[in-house]
Amino acid sequence: MSDFENGGAFAIKGFNFQKAAITFIAIKNFNKPDFHILVEARDDFEVKFNGYDAYIQVKSQKLSLNKLLNSKDGKSILEKNLSNGNENSHYKIFVKSFAETDVKKMLLNSEGNICDPLYSYSDEQKQTILNKLKGSSDIKSFEKKLLSSYIYILPFEDRLIDVIPVLLGQMALKEIDVSQKRGQIAINELFTLIDQKSEYVVESDEDYIKKKILKEDLQEIFKLTSTLDFFDSILSSTSYSVFWKKKIKQEQLKIIHAYITEKEIAKRELSNIDVLSTTEEELINIAMEKCNCDVTFNTLGEFTKKAIIIEVLAEMSEKV
């Protein structure tokens, strides 16, 4: 039998597992104040919000404490993780599974800032770690950082067929709309954004900033059910025919893929519009006039324009 090359398949599996982990944390936390994620910057990814920061390594293989401390290829997984941030930062290793003998010795933390349950190291395990890292010049810092270092076992395997239902379930819990394949579309959109952010090579602080996935990016991707319900409410209040309404709904599904720039134009043009001043249909007409002043927006079809405007108005309703 011929030898097969599976390195690429395993690498892709690992990248997909990492993207799934980032997406999982984004879904659970994107509404936190000033929440943002940085991908492939100082660690596999970083989570920051409201003064909190965490450096996270993601590993799709089964790990153990010994594997975390294996340094035959340079720095060990744990040393790389702890080398980031400062003594006020948090450190996490996300895994598919962890050796049961090690987990039994760990301390269970039922409440975490971004995910739970977490496992922290026992005093015996901390001593094993410090003995292994004692040759490092940062050993004193590592000793303090270990107090905020955790293992998190992700609630899915490393196959996309197992990952997607878990992500959709989390989205539903957060009242993010998953109907009409919207959930799958949102996941694909975030996976693509993660890929794009990962490609930036960091050589300066400006490059580091490019790695950010902002709260606003995530809110754009994760449409809340309440916003989409209000879109339907605005649309149903109009005198458009059922055929027009169907076409507008069809165009709405395309916005996240094809009309991000045009939607940003509409948001800018409508930032000061008084949504309480008139009826819904008249408001759409006023909005259309404002947005048509932009050449790019004005090239769109009638149904697309209305879909974008209604979506922007629906999102504005969350702030009224």
Side-chain angles (χ1 to χ4, degrees):
M1 181 183 290
S2 300
D3 291 332
F4 294 96
E5 176 53 60
N6 290 313
F10 287 126
I12 290 171
K13 214 173 187 182
F15 290 144
N16 285 339
F17 188 72
Q18 182 172 315
K19 287 189 284 190
I22 295 170
T23 300
F24 181 75
I25 293 301
I27 293 168
K28 289 176 72 69
N29 297 279
F30 74 99
N31 271 330
K32 285 184 166 69
D34 194 32
F35 180 83
H36 58 281
I37 289 172
L38 297 105
V39 294
E40 295 289 357
R42 295 190 175 98
D43 220 324
D44 286 345
F45 74 107
E46 301 164 41
V47 173
K48 298 179 185 290
F49 67 90
N50 206 27
Y52 172 93
D53 68 319
Y55 296 87
I56 301 169
Q57 286 256 329
V58 183
K59 300 298 174 186
S60 59
Q61 68 268 43
K62 182 175 182 177
L63 289 183
S64 64
L65 188 57
N66 281 338
K67 288 182 179 178
L68 279 186
L69 296 171
N70 187 331
S71 58
K72 67 178 182 179
D73 297 321
K75 284 186 178 182
S76 66
I77 294 170
L78 188 56
E79 186 176 357
K80 284 179 184 175
N81 188 230
L82 295 177
S83 295
N84 296 302
N86 56 55
E87 292 163 14
N88 295 316
S89 302
H90 296 75
Y91 304 89
K92 293 178 173 62
I93 311 290
F94 282 16
V95 298
K96 179 177 68 174
S97 59
F98 208 83
E100 191 64 30
T101 52
D102 289 328
V103 171
K104 285 180 179 177
K105 295 177 183 178
M106 291 177 170
L107 306 176
L108 180 66
N109 295 265
S110 58
E111 294 185 8
N113 288 291
I114 59 172
C115 57
D116 50 62
L118 299 171
Y119 293 93
S120 59
Y121 306 106
S122 65
D123 289 341
E124 178 189 345
Q125 289 170 324
K126 285 177 186 173
Q127 194 56 56
T128 298
I129 293 167
L130 292 172
N131 288 340
K132 189 71 175 179
L133 300 177
K134 63 184 178 183
S136 170
S137 59
D138 296 320
I139 187 64
K140 288 185 179 179
S141 174
F142 288 163
E143 187 172 359
K144 293 178 181 177
K145 288 179 177 180
L146 275 175
L147 297 174
S148 301
S149 178
Y150 303 94
I151 300 294
Y152 178 61
I153 302 172
L154 285 155
F156 44 75
E157 296 294 316
D158 58 354
R159 301 185 307 162
L160 284 178
I161 195 171
D162 299 316
V163 167
I164 300 302
V166 176
L167 297 181
L168 291 174
Q170 281 295 319
M171 291 170 76
L173 287 174
K174 288 291 183 178
E175 296 188 341
I176 299 167
D177 187 73
V178 296
S179 65
Q180 299 181 23
K181 297 186 178 179
R182 278 188 173 276
Q184 183 69 66
I185 291 170
I187 291 168
N188 293 342
E189 197 71 21
L190 184 50
F191 272 29
T192 300
L193 183 58
I194 292 168
D195 285 337
Q196 291 170 348
K197 296 294 185 178
S198 298
E199 289 175 358
Y200 287 115
V201 177
V202 178
E203 295 178 344
S204 67
D205 289 341
E206 288 182 3
D207 296 328
Y208 180 70
I209 291 170
K210 292 176 184 176
K211 293 280 192 178
K212 284 185 180 183
I213 297 176
L214 302 173
K215 175 177 180 174
E216 292 76 14
D217 298 323
L218 297 168
Q219 287 176 327
E220 183 65 34
I221 291 170
F222 298 138
K223 297 290 183 210
L224 295 179
T225 302
S226 58
T227 300
L228 294 167
D229 285 346
F230 203 70
F231 180 101
D232 292 341
S233 178
I234 295 172
L235 183 58
S236 65
S237 72
T238 66
S239 61
Y240 305 149
S241 72
V242 292
F243 302 105
W244 270 51
K245 289 177 181 177
K246 182 177 181 181
K247 288 292 292 182
I248 291 169
K249 282 291 291 182
Q250 288 172 342
E251 289 303 299
Q252 184 201 14
L253 294 174
K254 300 176 187 177
I255 293 173
I256 194 171
H257 287 303
Y259 303 116
I260 294 296
T261 300
E262 291 81 359
K263 182 177 175 182
E264 286 302 315
I265 291 169
K267 287 167 73 172
R268 183 183 69 238
E269 295 295 332
L270 303 180
S271 60
N272 295 319
I273 196 168
D274 185 358
V275 296
L276 303 176
S277 62
T278 185
T279 64
E280 291 85 349
E281 191 165 342
E282 181 60 26
L283 188 62
I284 294 169
N285 293 335
I286 294 169
M288 188 84 81
E289 286 182 20
K290 285 177 172 288
C291 293
N292 278 339
C293 293
D294 184 275
V295 175
T296 301
F297 189 91
N298 200 27
T299 60
L300 298 174
E302 189 77 5
F303 299 122
T304 306
K305 290 178 182 179
K306 290 185 183 299
I308 292 172
I309 285 169
I310 294 172
E311 181 160 293
V312 170
L313 294 174
E315 290 173 2
M316 291 173 68
S317 75
E318 298 285 335
K319 301 173 184 178
V320 173

